[in-house]
Amino acid sequence: MEASKKSGGHREMLESMYSVIALVFILVACVELCDAATAVDVYRLIQYDMSGSPFGSRFAALNHHAASLHFPPGADLSRTVLIIPLRELNITFIRDYINQKKPLGGLLFLLPEVFSFENGGNKQIHEKEKMKNLLAQLEQLLINANIPYPVYFAFENDEIDTVLAAIKRNDLIGQPATATTGGYKLVISTPEPKKVASPTITNIQGWLSGLKADGEANQLPTIAIVASYDTFGAAPALSVGSDSNGSGVVALLEVARLFSLLYSNPKTRGRYNLLFGLTSGGPYNYNGTQKWLRSFDQRLHESIDYAICLNSIGSWDNELWIHVSKPPENAYIKQIFYGFSNVAEELDLKVGMKHKKINISNPRVAWEHEQFSRLRVTAATLSEFSVAPELLEGTGGLFDNRQFVNETAIIRGVKLVAESLARHIYGHQGKNVQIFADDSSLAVNPAYVQSWLDLLSRTPRVAPFLSKNDPFVMALKKELADHTDEVKMQHEILEGIFTFYDSTSARLNIYQVASVTFDLLLLLVLGSYLIVLFSFLVITTRGLDDLISLFRRPPSRKVKTA
Amino acid sequence: MTVFHFFNCAILTFGPHAVYYSATPLSEYDTLGTSVKAALVYLGTALVKLVCLATFLNVSENDGFDPYQELLKALIGFIDVAGLYFALTQLTHRNISQNHKFQAVGLGWAFADSVLHRLAPLWVGARGLEFTWDYILQGLEANANLVLSISLAALGSLMWLRKNKPKTLIPIIYACAGIVATMPSITSYLRRGLGWHFPKVVGFELFTSLVMAFISWQLFSACQRPSA
């Protein structure tokens, strides 16, 4: 009995020892984690190779002192990080720095808090247009440059503002931070960025069957409505692309919902099939669309009457553009255009047509409909842009967030597309019939549009960083499945000239460091303090003679023998 | 902030103890054993105090000053005095004069206190990149604590080891001992009740430690005269 008690006691002691050791480890680890005065989420500039040439910021880890734009002229910044709030940004300065390849430890851009999709949802932005232009210019500059140091974006908050104010004060008195003068140190410890192996692009298609009369052997004609859902921007962790192309995705989903209502009743089901396509790989010359089209079989190809591609219909006032590649004199194109412009007149908006010839030998695909046209399918793109954006431009950058999109514009766009399609399907061209009237059961649902737009504005969607089973892609699939008969997902590898690197966001620790000279001074002071203490104690307890005798050499032997 | 700073703060916190030992006649009479025994007694006292605090005290969420809890803490603080009594009277010391005994016990006591309370935060915190003044202030506090411990040991040896004391001085001795013993409660009241910042509290501690040291020195030399 006693022996077992003893062994039980031993075991308990061992267990309590283990828990104490574990506690000590946890304590040590905890202190490591919350060591810095300030810790901020930062988002890295994209790093990619295009046809082998490197672009973007090539490094991720950071361990340098901080300086503001008020640094003393002529200072050596090769081991310094410049913190630049957007308000003080001078594009020419950055451009010079990058183009002349001046050495710099790193760049940290501070974006106003209203741009953050987590916090600044409802605040107004002052000087909207100016900021938008500035950000667009900055983005284009950074994306097309090869920058050999880390570049990060962060949102302003109170902590960073106080730190920046302190750094500015130090800089103005001419004391840039180095190892010997103290200041602030920015540390980001992430592993070196690696290539994203086999980035996948996922196309989602939804099929809504039309009403086939009994005994009809032929395939019903099909109308395709397509929108690309992925984005590309300077900071991939911030590329939510509310307008490009979140607005297109939202419009497509709403149109799908409306037509699924119509098609659910056999009496109102049209004699056209509807094919909804959410494609990926948009910024990369609509690579995904091309692969999607190549996967169609011949019968489907031939049955497509025409395709409408939606691209950025979220921030327009009164005018939309229809872009085509077939000449405007083409009968089909004329039909599509008249259909749209009739509805547009009723909705009190203007629709213009732009024709851009495609050059098969040029790999650049500016609009999504060009991929259809290359396979001889009639297609057009509806967009608020009158001119085609350049490669990697207008694909959902830093400024393209919820603030700059207007759901009223999207709702009007949905009405336009839905009415035009319906009139074509049900043969009411030219007639003033409002199928999706505002108070009917088929009205466009503003809440639906708003909630999907909000979701899209919170989800960064750069294709190489979206895995196959990403929850957002699954959500799109489920939503499309709710509105259509049959949904298919197609996973492809993003080939071509682009290679991407990971590490898109990190945590920045800002430490306030004292300089080495401070510690040296402290050592001197402490040394003298201890010496004074020593002398004081010797004098008071043993007498002054003892203190002096400590320093006097012992009497030499010569004196003794003498 | 870096190992250099840790080294500096360690010197500030533990240096004075070593300097005290080597500067005064303590080193000549080899009283290291006494100091070590006193340190061990402090360890035991700290454990007993821990158990009592854990049993009787309830932790409040806010950082305010709760008189009842502070009273309880002060009562438990008297266990310190009991420990000191044990170290002064019950431990067998080699033949060292009373003068040196209380110094050695006070030194060992203060050193153990510094190590237990300040070494771990120093090791963990002062080596990081972030710079704060806290560790320097903590070192100054350790210095004040050294002086206070030695004064308390002096007063303790007066109270318990010296038999013939001038009658008039006895109440003063006990009063001073009481003040020094309740020093932790006083500083905690200042920090929480009055909301003083750390530098101010450390300044107060340094000042009072010097004052108490002076008073106890005077008392000690006053009591020394009759027997001398």
Side-chain angles (χ1 to χ4, degrees), chain A residues 182-416:
Chain A
Y184 287 87
K185 204 157 202 220
L186 304 183
V187 177
I188 300 176
S189 41
T190 57
E192 209 178 298
K194 291 186 291 289
K195 283 192 193 174
V196 174
S198 315
T200 45
I201 47 177
T202 308
N203 298 318
I204 312 170
Q205 74 178 50
W207 181 262
L208 206 53
S209 304
L211 186 66
K212 235 182 179 175
D214 294 333
E216 193 172 330
N218 298 332
Q219 176 87 313
L220 281 178
T222 311
I223 300 179
I225 300 141
V226 192
S228 79
Y229 67 85
D230 69 330
T231 59
F232 181 90
L238 297 176
S239 290
V240 292
S242 301
D243 196 13
S244 311
N245 191 15
S247 55
V249 172
V250 170
L252 185 147
L253 288 175
E254 179 64 2
V255 168
R257 187 188 72 86
L258 291 171
F259 274 97
S260 80
L261 284 175
L262 272 176
Y263 274 44
S264 55
N265 186 348
K267 292 204 191 121
T268 51
R269 194 178 299 167
R271 314 269 318 265
Y272 279 82
N273 296 325
L274 286 174
L275 174 62
F276 296 96
L278 286 167
T279 58
S280 181
Y284 323 113
N285 291 326
Y286 293 102
N287 197 325
T289 317
Q290 186 189 50
K291 295 208 157 87
W292 183 51
L293 290 175
R294 291 235 181 98
S295 74
F296 287 177
D297 61 10
Q298 191 58 24
R299 280 199 336 166
L300 180 53
H301 249 207
E302 288 167 1
S303 76
I304 296 186
D305 242 16
Y306 64 92
I308 300 284
C309 307
L310 303 170
N311 184 345
S312 312
I313 51 174
S315 57
W316 53 277
D317 283 323
N318 276 315
E319 189 163 15
L320 279 177
W321 299 93
I322 297 189
H323 299 264
V324 291
S325 355
K326 290 197 174 165
E329 301 80 40
N330 183 301
Y332 297 116
I333 300 286
K334 268 193 189 168
Q335 197 181 39
I336 298 173
F337 184 64
Y338 284 146
F340 271 93
S341 35
N342 283 337
V343 179
E345 253 180 72
E346 289 162 30
L347 291 176
D348 201 20
L349 54 96
K350 197 164 158 301
V351 167
M353 180 144 78
K354 285 268 168 146
H355 171 234
K356 179 175 176 291
K357 269 197 186 166
I358 52 173
N359 183 354
I360 305 268
S361 53
N362 184 358
R364 170 81 187 118
V365 178
W367 295 110
E368 197 162 10
H369 72 267
E370 293 183 16
Q371 294 285 18
F372 285 88
S373 303
R374 282 170 194 235
L375 296 170
R376 308 211 190 291
V377 178
T378 311
T381 303
L382 183 68
S383 172
E384 69 199 4
F385 298 136
S386 57
V387 179
E390 299 293 320
L391 180 64
L392 300 179
E393 200 183 316
T395 50
L398 285 169
F399 58 86
D400 196 349
N401 61 10
R402 188 68 181 84
Q403 309 284 332
F404 292 99
V405 188
N406 175 1
E407 57 257 22
T408 332
I410 301 180
I411 291 173
R412 284 167 92 193
V414 168
K415 275 197 201 148
L416 176 66

Side-chain angles (χ1 to χ4, degrees), chain A residues 32-39 509-511, chain B residues 130:
Chain A
E32 286 286 352
L33 289 170
C34 48
D35 194 14
T38 315
N509 290 311
I510 305 182
Y511 298 101
Chain B
E130 181 79 16

Side-chain angles (χ1 to χ4, degrees), chain A residues 27-28 31-32 35-38 63 185 187 510-516 518-520 522-523 526 529-530 533-535 537-538 541-542 546, chain B residues 1-2 4-5 7-9 11-12 15-16 19-25 27-28 103 124-125 127-133 136 143 146 217:
Chain A
L27 273 173
V28 172
V31 172
E32 286 286 352
D35 194 14
T38 315
N63 191 343
K185 204 157 202 220
V187 177
I510 305 182
Y511 298 101
Q512 184 173 18
V513 290
S515 55
V516 171
F518 172 80
D519 269 322
L520 282 171
L522 189 63
L523 186 63
L526 285 177
Y529 164 69
L530 286 177
L533 186 67
F534 185 82
S535 333
L537 287 171
V538 168
T541 52
R542 291 194 270 194
D546 266 334
Chain B
M1 185 217 97
T2 73
F4 193 8
H5 191 68
F7 180 68
N8 279 343
C9 294
I11 292 179
L12 180 60
V19 164
Y20 193 92
Y21 185 80
S22 55
T24 56
S27 54
E28 282 176 23
Q103 284 183 55
V124 166
R127 280 184 313 136
L129 269 181
E130 181 79 16
F131 173 74
T132 49
W133 287 99
I136 298 178
N143 279 297
L146 172 63
W217 182 31

